Amino acid sequence: MIVNLLDLLVVPTPAIESHSEFTCEPIRLRMCQDLPYNTTFMPNLLNHYDQQTAALAMEPFHPMVNLMCSADLRMFLCALYAPVCTEYGRVSMPCRSLCQQAKDECNKLMEIFGLAWPDDMECSRFPDCDEPYPRPEDLVTSSDPTDQSSMTVQRDYGFWCPRELKVDPDLGYIFMGRKDCSAPCPSMFFNQQELTFTRYFIGVVSIICLSATLFTFLTFLIDVTRFRYPERPIIFYAVCYVMVSLVFFLGFLLEDRVACNAISPSQFRASTITQGSHNKACTLLFMVLYFFTMAGSMWWVILTITWFLAAVPKWGSEAIEKKALLFHAVAWGLPGALTVTLLALNKIEGDGISGVCFIGLYDIDALRWFVLAPLCLNVAVGVSLLLVGIVALNRVRMEIPLEKENQTKLVKFMIRMGVFSVLYLVPLLTVIGCYLYEHTYRNIWETTWMEENCRRYHIPCPYKVEQTSRPVIVLFLIKYLMMLVVGIPSVFWVGSKKTCFEWASFLHGHRHKDGVNESRQVLQEQPDFAQSLLREPNTPVIRKSRGTSTQGTSTHASSTHLAVLDDLDEPVRTHHGHGASTRSKASSVHSKASYHGSLRRIRDDRSDTMVYRGTEQRSFHGSMPRLDHPLSTHSSLHQIDARSRHSSQRDVSEAPPTLITHGTTASDSRVSENDGTSA
């Protein structure tokens, strides 16, 4: 039916090519035959890109022309829909008087047919003159019939949205600078075979990333006390990429059903990319993907901040944990604010390749300010803090003498921190590089696409194209791969024998609670620099754990042997009752007294007296089972108590009297509290 209608409105001329080269073409509109001129150019004054489109737009005026409501109406309509083709660079427009006379004479008849005078034909748009159309100078042609320069319209029309890509005006779509237009779906650059391979590739990688990050999170749930600050942000980082990989997996399952608008043959509309927030499913995918992508980047920055606080000002786990509320506010609040801003700006775009919705796929400004800028800022801040923390830990390792065991632990922790950061930064920097490359060449890709498809869509071809380029599918494969791989390094941090033991215990129905994490223990038990300078060469180092700081600075709460004795309280009470607990606390007091007395003798005369530490530091995996045994606990307590008594008797002349007094449990606790404060 549409074809028959076009045959009635347009004179069929099979031999005439389209207006792709924008030379003057013969007028084929039936209404505009037998005029003083017989050539026109497209696009016309009403932005119709070919004569078929102009014929459809002129159809409502046919009854008025046939009824001859005005003698000037036909000429005025042809001046707009099929203007005369004049010299290069000059467009002839009808006078305002011609427009006004046609409107006044046909206004009543148009009301009868239920028509209104179009806004783009408003008479105020035309020059104020009183001349016929076409003017005599419009009909002047070149004296040389072979010279086509005067008959050719050669100028840059920019991008004209094809009829197939137009959308409803109230949706607010923008494509290549044109409103009410959208990009073709599923892709304007790749063929169907490339798209199919890319989708399956993204689906497989998303499953791998989802499995890895979900394993990290479930390992944390098995023992939530294992990962404390400064390692805790790794867990939230893994949670973010659980959601990111889940969204990409859903995009793989949905294909282009969410990212693309459906075909509408009745309205001559092809499948186009979804934009804005009118598509609820696309909006939901965008919110989850963008929010957790930015939040994952923020949690990595916070991870470097916690490492910095633990390595440089020597904050303890409890002190860092007091700032957890601030960390959560920043890590979730900033991405949330950016997400709400993008929803308000209506910047959502469907990705026909991956099946998800994101930003910056076609809007370069959104890509620049809402993707590249936050990621680059997070990388700069995170790398700076990471380098400062590594330098500080290396200085501790080089300047402060450590026992061989803790030296190994510290080096091991630094290696883990460095490898984890490299595994995160390499994929993220690759993604940023892909975005920058896409940001740089997007305009060239679009110009190339327009040049290749202008004849197909009957739109103006680009003017004087100097450079053409097409994106390669490998670039997009790398981008999607690195967007997902960046979440996998979280497995590196939890991957250890301890994790295997925990999962084995969990699967067998019982859980095993271990002591302090090695990396956190190394950071919190670094020896004080002043103490290291004052000790004798063969004197064992008494390490101090960092306590809670209420002012944002580090405090030294107790020595390592006191922490061990406090841990022994629970098994002693279980097997020996209250008496064993009292002996443990008394032994703790005597051990501290011997430490202070020996330290004073070292300062005074540098004697060769050895300071006994009270008890050996427990190993990470092996100490708990031995302490759980009643006999080993009982014997080790007797040994600690006997040696503490022996040391206290040797130093009785120098130690404060209160430190060697055997009193009640309450007095012991007060003495321990005072001594802990002085330490």
Side-chain angles (χ1 to χ4, degrees):
M1 180 178 178
I2 299 295
V3 176
N4 295 335
L5 180 61
L6 288 175
D7 290 341
L8 294 175
L9 300 177
V10 181
V11 176
T13 53
I16 300 297
E17 292 290 335
S18 177
H19 59 277
S20 57
E21 295 187 5
F22 283 83
T23 57
C24 292
E25 56 187 69
I27 297 177
R28 293 184 286 123
L29 300 176
R30 291 189 180 274
M31 185 186 296
C32 299
Q33 299 295 315
D34 302 326
L35 293 177
Y37 61 94
N38 58 5
T39 58
T40 186
F41 64 91
M42 292 288 160
N44 57 25
L45 299 182
L46 298 180
N47 295 339
H48 300 125
Y49 41 84
D50 61 7
Q51 294 193 46
Q52 292 182 350
T53 307
L56 291 175
M58 291 181 70
E59 180 186 357
F61 294 97
H62 274 266
M64 271 68 70
V65 174
N66 293 334
L67 294 175
M68 298 184 63
C69 61
S70 173
D72 298 322
L73 179 61
R74 176 170 172 263
M75 180 56 68
F76 174 70
L77 293 175
C78 291
L80 298 180
Y81 289 92
V84 60
C85 190
T86 60
E87 294 180 357
Y88 165 72
R90 188 169 66 86
V91 177
S92 179
M93 299 183 67
C95 291
R96 187 180 303 176
S97 59
L98 183 66
C99 170
Q100 195 64 47
Q101 186 155 349
K103 180 180 179 181
D104 294 341
E105 293 177 352
C106 296
N107 190 31
K108 293 182 180 180
L109 187 59
M110 292 182 66
E111 291 179 356
I112 295 175
F113 282 93
L115 299 176
W117 195 262
D119 293 336
D120 53 3
M121 292 172 53
E122 193 60 41
C123 297
S124 58
R125 297 182 56 216
F126 305 111
D128 188 8
C129 59
D130 189 10
E131 297 178 357
Y133 189 89
R135 301 174 182 81
E137 58 268 21
D138 296 336
L139 302 176
V140 176
T141 60
S142 174
S143 58
D144 185 2
T146 61
D147 183 10
Q148 297 294 324
S149 61
S150 62
M151 300 291 291
T152 303
V153 180
Q154 297 178 351
R155 63 179 185 270
D156 186 10
Y157 290 94
F159 174 69
W160 290 68
C161 185
R163 177 177 54 185
E164 294 85 347
L165 303 182
K166 284 187 174 294
V167 295
D168 296 335
D170 55 342
L171 296 178
Y173 282 26
I174 298 179
F175 174 55
M176 294 178 63
R178 295 292 179 177
K179 295 182 179 180
D180 307 328
C181 189
S182 185
C185 195
S187 176
M188 57 189 292
F189 300 124
F190 307 115
N191 56 42
Q192 190 60 44
Q193 183 179 1
E194 293 173 329
L195 292 175
T196 302
F197 175 79
T198 304
R199 284 174 181 166
Y200 278 98
F201 177 81
I202 294 173
V204 172
V205 176
S206 64
I207 292 174
I208 296 174
C209 181
L210 179 61
S211 303
T213 52
L214 193 59
F215 173 79
T216 303
F217 181 58
L218 293 178
T219 302
F220 166 74
L221 294 181
I222 290 177
D223 185 5
V224 295
T225 61
R226 177 183 172 188
F227 299 99
R228 299 178 62 192
Y229 288 94
E231 298 102 331
R232 181 65 63 85
I234 296 177
I235 305 302
F236 303 115
Y237 162 84
V239 171
C240 292
Y241 280 95
V242 167
M243 302 305 297
V244 170
S245 55
L246 181 61
V247 171
F248 274 105
F249 181 67
L250 291 177
F252 164 71
L253 296 178
L254 294 171
E255 294 182 342
D256 58 1
R257 289 191 288 272
V258 172
C260 299
N261 297 316
I263 299 175
S264 179
S266 60
Q267 299 178 346
F268 303 100
R269 291 180 181 175
S271 180
T272 55
I273 292 293
T274 298
Q275 295 184 30
S277 57
H278 68 94
N279 188 327
K280 305 305 179 186
C282 182
T283 302
L284 180 61
L285 290 179
F286 156 75
M287 291 175 62
V288 176
L289 180 58
Y290 181 79
F291 174 79
F292 283 103
T293 299
M294 293 295 112
S297 179
M298 287 300 304
W299 274 116
W300 181 78
V301 174
I302 292 176
L303 179 64
T304 60
I305 292 175
T306 57
W307 279 340
F308 173 83
L309 294 176
V312 180
K314 306 296 188 301
W315 282 27
S317 176
E318 294 81 3
I320 298 176
E321 195 165 358
K322 284 194 172 184
K323 305 297 182 183
L325 185 61
L326 177 61
F327 295 154
H328 281 276
V330 173
W332 304 119
L334 292 180
L338 290 175
T339 304
V340 172
T341 302
L342 289 170
L343 288 174
L345 295 176
N346 215 29
K347 294 293 185 179
I348 306 172
E349 296 172 343
D351 185 1
I353 300 176
S354 63
V356 302
C357 294
F358 202 62
I359 66 164
L361 303 172
Y362 300 94
D363 189 344
I364 299 299
D365 292 333
L367 175 65
R368 182 188 303 121
W369 298 112
F370 290 95
V371 178
L372 284 175
L375 291 180
C376 292
L377 180 62
N378 290 343
V379 168
V381 174
V383 170
S384 301
L385 294 174
L386 180 68
L387 293 177
V388 172
I390 291 179
V391 169
L393 288 180
N394 189 61
R395 185 177 301 169
V396 168
R397 185 180 66 87
M398 299 297 294
E399 295 181 358
I400 301 179
L402 290 173
E403 291 182 351
K404 184 177 181 180
E405 179 184 359
N406 286 336
Q407 186 94 357
T408 303
K409 290 180 180 179
L410 184 59
V411 172
K412 183 179 178 181
F413 174 73
M414 292 173 61
I415 293 175
R416 290 182 69 194
M417 184 169 62
V419 172
F420 175 83
S421 301
V422 169
L423 291 178
Y424 172 81
L425 286 173
V426 169
L428 182 60
L429 292 175
T430 304
V431 171
I432 293 176
C434 292
Y435 279 135
L436 289 173
Y437 183 81
E438 191 173 346
H439 177 274
T440 304
Y441 288 92
R442 166 66 68 172
N443 292 331
I444 298 176
W445 296 343
E446 291 175 346
T447 302
T448 303
W449 173 83
M450 190 167 62
E451 184 179 37
E452 294 175 352
N453 294 273
C454 60
R455 294 168 181 82
R456 170 190 168 193
Y457 286 119
H458 301 289
I459 60 175
C461 292
Y463 178 67
K464 291 184 178 180
V465 178
E466 298 179 354
Q467 182 180 1
T468 60
S469 176
R470 290 178 56 87
V472 291
I473 193 64
V474 176
L475 174 70
F476 286 81
L477 289 175
I478 293 175
K479 182 181 77 170
Y480 291 119
L481 173 64
M482 294 304 170
M483 287 179 68
L484 291 166
V485 167
V486 74
I488 296 180
S490 59
V491 179
F492 169 80
W493 196 264
V494 301
S496 63
K497 293 181 180 179
K498 180 179 176 63
T499 300
C500 297
F501 293 150
E502 285 187 348
W503 274 98
S505 300
F506 175 77
L507 295 176
H508 285 84
H510 58 86
R511 296 178 58 183
H512 176 70
K513 294 184 178 180
D514 293 311
V516 186
N517 182 272
E518 285 186 11
S519 58
R520 187 172 67 255
Q521 188 177 11
V522 171
L523 285 175
Q524 295 178 5
E525 294 185 0
Q526 295 170 9
D528 201 3
F529 185 71
Q531 176 185 336
S532 302
L533 292 178
L534 294 174
R535 71 182 180 88
E536 287 292 327
N538 297 324
T539 303
V541 179
I542 301 177
R543 288 187 296 275
K544 296 182 179 181
S545 62
R546 271 41 174 168
T548 303
S549 172
T550 57
Q551 300 297 328
T553 57
S554 63
T555 59
H556 304 282
S558 60
S559 61
T560 305
H561 75 281
L562 289 177
V564 173
L565 288 175
D566 289 339
D567 290 340
L568 289 174
D569 286 348
E570 184 176 352
V572 168
R573 284 194 296 269
T574 304
H575 298 288
H576 301 284
H578 178 71
S581 175
T582 305
R583 289 196 303 271
S584 175
K585 293 181 178 180
S587 301
S588 173
V589 173
H590 290 306
S591 299
K592 294 187 341 183
S594 68
Y595 159 66
H596 285 290
S598 300
L599 187 59
R600 278 193 291 273
R601 288 199 305 276
I602 292 171
R603 291 196 185 111
D604 295 336
D605 53 5
R606 296 291 181 180
S607 65
D608 294 330
T609 304
M610 299 295 292
V611 181
Y612 192 76
R613 291 170 55 192
T615 186
E616 294 181 355
Q617 184 183 2
R618 292 178 295 170
S619 64
F620 189 72
H621 294 291
S623 61
M624 289 299 293
R626 292 197 297 273
L627 291 177
D628 287 342
H629 196 280
L631 295 178
S632 65
T633 304
H634 185 70
S635 60
S636 57
L637 284 174
H638 276 290
Q639 292 176 2
I640 294 169
D641 192 39
R643 294 180 181 178
S644 300
R645 289 172 183 271
H646 179 69
S647 179
S648 300
Q649 290 171 3
R650 292 173 55 189
D651 303 334
V652 66
S653 60
E654 298 182 13
T658 56
L659 295 178
I660 61 174
T661 301
H662 295 273
T664 61
T665 304
S667 64
D668 288 339
S669 63
R670 286 195 298 272
V671 172
S672 301
E673 192 173 320
N674 294 334
D675 201 348
T677 305
S678 65

Short mmCIF file of all heavy atoms in Angstrom, two decimals, residues 591-630:
data_model
loop_
_atom_site.label_atom_id
_atom_site.label_comp_id
_atom_site.label_asym_id
_atom_site.label_seq_id
_atom_site.Cartn_x
_atom_site.Cartn_y
_atom_site.Cartn_z
N SER A 591 56.35 -11.33 84.93
CA SER A 591 57.09 -11.26 83.66
C SER A 591 57.32 -9.82 83.26
O SER A 591 58.38 -9.45 82.80
CB SER A 591 56.31 -11.99 82.56
OG SER A 591 56.16 -13.34 82.91
N LYS A 592 56.31 -8.99 83.43
CA LYS A 592 56.48 -7.58 83.08
C LYS A 592 57.48 -6.91 84.02
O LYS A 592 58.24 -6.03 83.63
CB LYS A 592 55.14 -6.87 83.12
CG LYS A 592 54.20 -7.36 82.06
CD LYS A 592 52.90 -6.62 81.90
CE LYS A 592 52.47 -5.79 82.99
NZ LYS A 592 51.16 -5.16 82.76
N ALA A 593 57.46 -7.30 85.31
CA ALA A 593 58.41 -6.71 86.24
C ALA A 593 59.84 -7.05 85.86
O ALA A 593 60.73 -6.20 85.89
CB ALA A 593 58.11 -7.19 87.66
N SER A 594 60.05 -8.30 85.46
CA SER A 594 61.41 -8.68 85.05
C SER A 594 61.84 -7.93 83.81
O SER A 594 63.00 -7.58 83.66
CB SER A 594 61.48 -10.19 84.82
OG SER A 594 60.73 -10.54 83.70
N TYR A 595 60.89 -7.67 82.91
CA TYR A 595 61.22 -6.93 81.69
C TYR A 595 61.65 -5.51 82.01
O TYR A 595 62.69 -5.03 81.54
CB TYR A 595 60.03 -6.93 80.75
CG TYR A 595 60.07 -5.83 79.73
CD1 TYR A 595 61.07 -5.83 78.75
CD2 TYR A 595 59.15 -4.79 79.77
CE1 TYR A 595 61.12 -4.83 77.83
CE2 TYR A 595 59.21 -3.79 78.86
CZ TYR A 595 60.21 -3.81 77.88
OH TYR A 595 60.24 -2.82 76.96
N HIS A 596 60.89 -4.81 82.89
CA HIS A 596 61.24 -3.42 83.21
C HIS A 596 62.55 -3.35 83.99
O HIS A 596 63.37 -2.46 83.77
CB HIS A 596 60.12 -2.78 84.00
CG HIS A 596 58.93 -2.43 83.17
ND1 HIS A 596 58.95 -1.43 82.25
CD2 HIS A 596 57.69 -2.99 83.11
CE1 HIS A 596 57.78 -1.35 81.66
NE2 HIS A 596 56.99 -2.30 82.16
N GLY A 597 62.76 -4.30 84.92
CA GLY A 597 64.01 -4.28 85.67
C GLY A 597 65.21 -4.53 84.80
O GLY A 597 66.23 -3.86 84.91
N SER A 598 65.10 -5.48 83.92
CA SER A 598 66.23 -5.79 83.03
C SER A 598 66.51 -4.65 82.08
O SER A 598 67.65 -4.36 81.76
CB SER A 598 65.93 -7.08 82.26
OG SER A 598 65.73 -8.14 83.15
N LEU A 599 65.45 -3.99 81.62
CA LEU A 599 65.64 -2.88 80.68
C LEU A 599 66.37 -1.73 81.35
O LEU A 599 67.22 -1.07 80.76
CB LEU A 599 64.29 -2.42 80.14
CG LEU A 599 64.32 -1.39 79.03
CD1 LEU A 599 65.10 -1.96 77.83
CD2 LEU A 599 62.91 -1.02 78.61
N ARG A 600 66.10 -1.49 82.65
CA ARG A 600 66.83 -0.43 83.36
C ARG A 600 68.31 -0.78 83.54
O ARG A 600 69.17 0.06 83.46
CB ARG A 600 66.15 -0.17 84.71
CG ARG A 600 64.94 0.76 84.61
CD ARG A 600 64.52 1.22 85.99
NE ARG A 600 63.96 0.11 86.77
CZ ARG A 600 62.68 -0.25 86.72
NH1 ARG A 600 61.86 0.41 85.96
NH2 ARG A 600 62.25 -1.26 87.45
N ARG A 601 68.59 -2.05 83.82
CA ARG A 601 70.00 -2.44 83.95
C ARG A 601 70.74 -2.27 82.63
O ARG A 601 71.90 -1.92 82.59
CB ARG A 601 70.10 -3.90 84.43
CG ARG A 601 69.70 -4.06 85.91
CD ARG A 601 70.25 -5.38 86.44
NE ARG A 601 69.82 -6.50 85.63
CZ ARG A 601 68.65 -7.12 85.78
NH1 ARG A 601 67.80 -6.70 86.69
NH2 ARG A 601 68.33 -8.15 85.02
N ILE A 602 70.06 -2.53 81.53
CA ILE A 602 70.71 -2.36 80.23
C ILE A 602 71.04 -0.89 79.99
O ILE A 602 72.10 -0.54 79.47
CB ILE A 602 69.80 -2.89 79.12
CG1 ILE A 602 69.69 -4.40 79.24
CG2 ILE A 602 70.32 -2.53 77.74
CD1 ILE A 602 68.65 -5.00 78.31
N ARG A 603 70.13 -0.02 80.39
CA ARG A 603 70.39 1.42 80.19
C ARG A 603 71.56 1.88 81.05
O ARG A 603 72.31 2.75 80.66
CB ARG A 603 69.12 2.22 80.52
CG ARG A 603 67.97 2.03 79.54
CD ARG A 603 66.97 3.13 79.75
NE ARG A 603 65.79 2.90 78.90
CZ ARG A 603 64.59 2.58 79.36
NH1 ARG A 603 64.41 2.47 80.66
NH2 ARG A 603 63.58 2.40 78.55
N ASP A 604 71.68 1.35 82.30
CA ASP A 604 72.68 1.87 83.23
C ASP A 604 74.09 1.35 82.93
O ASP A 604 75.03 2.11 82.74
CB ASP A 604 72.29 1.53 84.67
CG ASP A 604 71.01 2.23 85.09
OD1 ASP A 604 70.72 3.29 84.47
OD2 ASP A 604 70.32 1.73 86.00
N ASP A 605 74.28 0.09 82.91
CA ASP A 605 75.64 -0.44 82.82
C ASP A 605 75.85 -1.37 81.66
O ASP A 605 76.91 -1.99 81.54
CB ASP A 605 76.01 -1.15 84.12
CG ASP A 605 74.97 -2.20 84.50
OD1 ASP A 605 74.03 -2.42 83.69
OD2 ASP A 605 75.09 -2.81 85.57
N ARG A 606 74.82 -1.56 80.77
CA ARG A 606 74.99 -2.41 79.61
C ARG A 606 75.51 -3.80 80.03
O ARG A 606 76.42 -4.35 79.43
CB ARG A 606 75.97 -1.81 78.60
CG ARG A 606 75.50 -0.51 78.00
CD ARG A 606 74.32 -0.77 77.11
NE ARG A 606 73.86 0.46 76.49
CZ ARG A 606 72.85 0.54 75.67
NH1 ARG A 606 72.18 -0.54 75.39
NH2 ARG A 606 72.51 1.69 75.14
N SER A 607 74.92 -4.37 81.07
CA SER A 607 75.34 -5.69 81.53
C SER A 607 74.86 -6.74 80.55
O SER A 607 74.11 -6.46 79.64
CB SER A 607 74.76 -5.97 82.92
OG SER A 607 73.35 -6.01 82.85
N ASP A 608 75.28 -7.95 80.80
CA ASP A 608 74.95 -9.05 79.89
C ASP A 608 73.72 -9.80 80.34
O ASP A 608 73.51 -10.95 79.94
CB ASP A 608 76.12 -10.03 79.79
CG ASP A 608 77.31 -9.41 79.13
OD1 ASP A 608 77.10 -8.51 78.28
OD2 ASP A 608 78.43 -9.82 79.44
N THR A 609 72.92 -9.18 81.18
CA THR A 609 71.72 -9.87 81.68
C THR A 609 70.73 -10.10 80.55
O THR A 609 70.46 -9.21 79.78
CB THR A 609 71.05 -9.02 82.77
OG1 THR A 609 72.01 -8.76 83.78
CG2 THR A 609 69.86 -9.78 83.38
N MET A 610 70.19 -11.24 80.49
CA MET A 610 69.21 -11.60 79.45
C MET A 610 67.81 -11.37 79.99
O MET A 610 67.52 -11.75 81.12
CB MET A 610 69.36 -13.07 79.04
CG MET A 610 70.72 -13.42 78.47
SD MET A 610 71.01 -12.58 76.92
CE MET A 610 69.80 -13.43 75.93
N VAL A 611 67.01 -10.74 79.20
CA VAL A 611 65.63 -10.48 79.58
C VAL A 611 64.76 -11.61 79.04
O VAL A 611 64.74 -11.83 77.83
CB VAL A 611 65.14 -9.13 79.03
CG1 VAL A 611 63.70 -8.90 79.47
CG2 VAL A 611 66.03 -8.01 79.53
N TYR A 612 64.07 -12.25 79.89
CA TYR A 612 63.22 -13.36 79.44
C TYR A 612 61.87 -12.83 78.98
O TYR A 612 61.28 -11.98 79.64
CB TYR A 612 63.01 -14.34 80.59
CG TYR A 612 62.39 -15.64 80.15
CD1 TYR A 612 63.15 -16.59 79.48
CD2 TYR A 612 61.03 -15.88 80.35
CE1 TYR A 612 62.60 -17.76 79.05
CE2 TYR A 612 60.46 -17.06 79.92
CZ TYR A 612 61.24 -17.99 79.28
OH TYR A 612 60.68 -19.16 78.84
N ARG A 613 61.42 -13.30 77.92
CA ARG A 613 60.18 -12.78 77.32
C ARG A 613 58.93 -13.29 78.00
O ARG A 613 57.85 -12.81 77.74
CB ARG A 613 60.12 -13.13 75.83
CG ARG A 613 61.16 -12.39 75.03
CD ARG A 613 61.25 -12.92 73.62
NE ARG A 613 59.93 -12.89 72.97
CZ ARG A 613 59.68 -13.52 71.84
NH1 ARG A 613 60.64 -14.21 71.26
NH2 ARG A 613 58.49 -13.45 71.29
N GLY A 614 58.99 -14.29 78.77
CA GLY A 614 57.78 -14.76 79.47
C GLY A 614 57.24 -16.01 78.84
O GLY A 614 56.96 -16.98 79.52
N THR A 615 57.13 -16.03 77.58
CA THR A 615 56.66 -17.22 76.87
C THR A 615 56.98 -17.04 75.40
O THR A 615 57.14 -15.91 74.95
CB THR A 615 55.14 -17.43 77.04
OG1 THR A 615 54.78 -18.67 76.45
CG2 THR A 615 54.36 -16.31 76.40
N GLU A 616 57.12 -18.07 74.66
CA GLU A 616 57.44 -18.00 73.25
C GLU A 616 56.20 -17.61 72.47
O GLU A 616 55.08 -17.93 72.86
CB GLU A 616 57.97 -19.34 72.76
CG GLU A 616 59.31 -19.71 73.39
CD GLU A 616 59.81 -21.04 72.86
OE1 GLU A 616 59.05 -21.67 72.10
OE2 GLU A 616 60.92 -21.41 73.22
N GLN A 617 56.46 -16.90 71.39
CA GLN A 617 55.33 -16.52 70.53
C GLN A 617 54.77 -17.75 69.83
O GLN A 617 55.50 -18.58 69.33
CB GLN A 617 55.78 -15.51 69.47
CG GLN A 617 54.63 -15.03 68.62
CD GLN A 617 55.12 -14.10 67.53
OE1 GLN A 617 56.30 -13.88 67.44
NE2 GLN A 617 54.20 -13.58 66.75
N ARG A 618 53.44 -17.83 69.84
CA ARG A 618 52.81 -18.99 69.21
C ARG A 618 52.90 -18.90 67.70
O ARG A 618 52.79 -17.85 67.14
CB ARG A 618 51.34 -19.06 69.62
CG ARG A 618 51.16 -19.38 71.08
CD ARG A 618 49.69 -19.37 71.40
NE ARG A 618 49.16 -18.03 71.22
CZ ARG A 618 47.86 -17.76 71.24
NH1 ARG A 618 46.99 -18.72 71.36
NH2 ARG A 618 47.44 -16.54 71.09
N SER A 619 53.05 -20.05 67.06
CA SER A 619 52.97 -20.09 65.61
C SER A 619 51.54 -19.97 65.18
O SER A 619 50.62 -20.18 65.97
CB SER A 619 53.57 -21.39 65.07
OG SER A 619 52.83 -22.50 65.53
N PHE A 620 51.33 -19.64 63.88
CA PHE A 620 49.99 -19.31 63.39
C PHE A 620 49.04 -20.51 63.40
O PHE A 620 47.88 -20.40 63.73
CB PHE A 620 50.09 -18.74 61.97
CG PHE A 620 48.82 -18.19 61.48
CD1 PHE A 620 48.34 -16.99 62.01
CD2 PHE A 620 48.08 -18.84 60.53
CE1 PHE A 620 47.16 -16.47 61.56
CE2 PHE A 620 46.90 -18.31 60.10
CZ PHE A 620 46.44 -17.13 60.61
N HIS A 621 49.55 -21.68 63.04
CA HIS A 621 48.67 -22.84 62.92
C HIS A 621 48.87 -23.86 64.04
O HIS A 621 47.97 -24.65 64.31
CB HIS A 621 48.90 -23.54 61.57
CG HIS A 621 48.49 -22.70 60.42
ND1 HIS A 621 47.18 -22.41 60.15
CD2 HIS A 621 49.22 -22.05 59.47
CE1 HIS A 621 47.10 -21.66 59.09
NE2 HIS A 621 48.33 -21.42 58.67
N GLY A 622 50.05 -23.88 64.64
CA GLY A 622 50.33 -25.00 65.50
C GLY A 622 50.14 -24.77 66.97
O GLY A 622 50.17 -25.72 67.75
N SER A 623 49.92 -23.54 67.45
CA SER A 623 49.91 -23.30 68.88
C SER A 623 48.60 -23.69 69.53
O SER A 623 48.57 -24.15 70.65
CB SER A 623 50.22 -21.83 69.15
OG SER A 623 49.24 -21.04 68.56
N MET A 624 47.52 -23.50 68.90
CA MET A 624 46.22 -23.73 69.54
C MET A 624 46.02 -25.17 69.96
O MET A 624 45.56 -25.43 71.07
CB MET A 624 45.12 -23.27 68.60
CG MET A 624 45.04 -21.75 68.45
SD MET A 624 44.69 -20.95 70.00
CE MET A 624 43.02 -21.53 70.27
N PRO A 625 46.28 -26.18 69.14
CA PRO A 625 46.07 -27.55 69.60
C PRO A 625 46.91 -27.89 70.82
O PRO A 625 46.45 -28.61 71.70
CB PRO A 625 46.46 -28.39 68.38
CG PRO A 625 46.28 -27.48 67.23
CD PRO A 625 46.65 -26.15 67.74
N ARG A 626 48.17 -27.41 70.91
CA ARG A 626 49.00 -27.72 72.07
C ARG A 626 48.48 -27.06 73.32
O ARG A 626 48.51 -27.62 74.40
CB ARG A 626 50.44 -27.29 71.80
CG ARG A 626 51.15 -28.10 70.71
CD ARG A 626 52.65 -27.89 70.80
NE ARG A 626 52.99 -26.51 70.57
CZ ARG A 626 53.21 -26.00 69.37
NH1 ARG A 626 53.10 -26.75 68.30
NH2 ARG A 626 53.57 -24.74 69.24
N LEU A 627 47.99 -25.84 73.20
CA LEU A 627 47.45 -25.14 74.36
C LEU A 627 46.12 -25.71 74.79
O LEU A 627 45.73 -25.56 75.94
CB LEU A 627 47.32 -23.64 74.04
CG LEU A 627 48.64 -22.89 73.88
CD1 LEU A 627 48.35 -21.45 73.49
CD2 LEU A 627 49.45 -22.94 75.15
N ASP A 628 45.40 -26.30 73.87
CA ASP A 628 44.11 -26.88 74.24
C ASP A 628 44.29 -28.12 75.11
O ASP A 628 43.37 -28.54 75.82
CB ASP A 628 43.33 -27.25 72.97
CG ASP A 628 42.82 -26.00 72.29
OD1 ASP A 628 42.80 -24.97 72.98
OD2 ASP A 628 42.49 -26.06 71.09
N HIS A 629 45.44 -28.77 75.04
CA HIS A 629 45.64 -29.98 75.83
C HIS A 629 45.81 -29.61 77.30
O HIS A 629 46.59 -28.73 77.64
CB HIS A 629 46.88 -30.72 75.33
CG HIS A 629 46.92 -32.15 75.82
ND1 HIS A 629 47.35 -32.48 77.07
CD2 HIS A 629 46.56 -33.31 75.19
CE1 HIS A 629 47.27 -33.80 77.23
NE2 HIS A 629 46.80 -34.32 76.09
N PRO A 630 45.10 -30.25 78.23
CA PRO A 630 45.17 -29.86 79.66
C PRO A 630 46.57 -29.97 80.22
O PRO A 630 47.02 -29.11 80.97
CB PRO A 630 44.20 -30.83 80.32
CG PRO A 630 43.30 -31.31 79.24
CD PRO A 630 44.13 -31.32 78.01
#
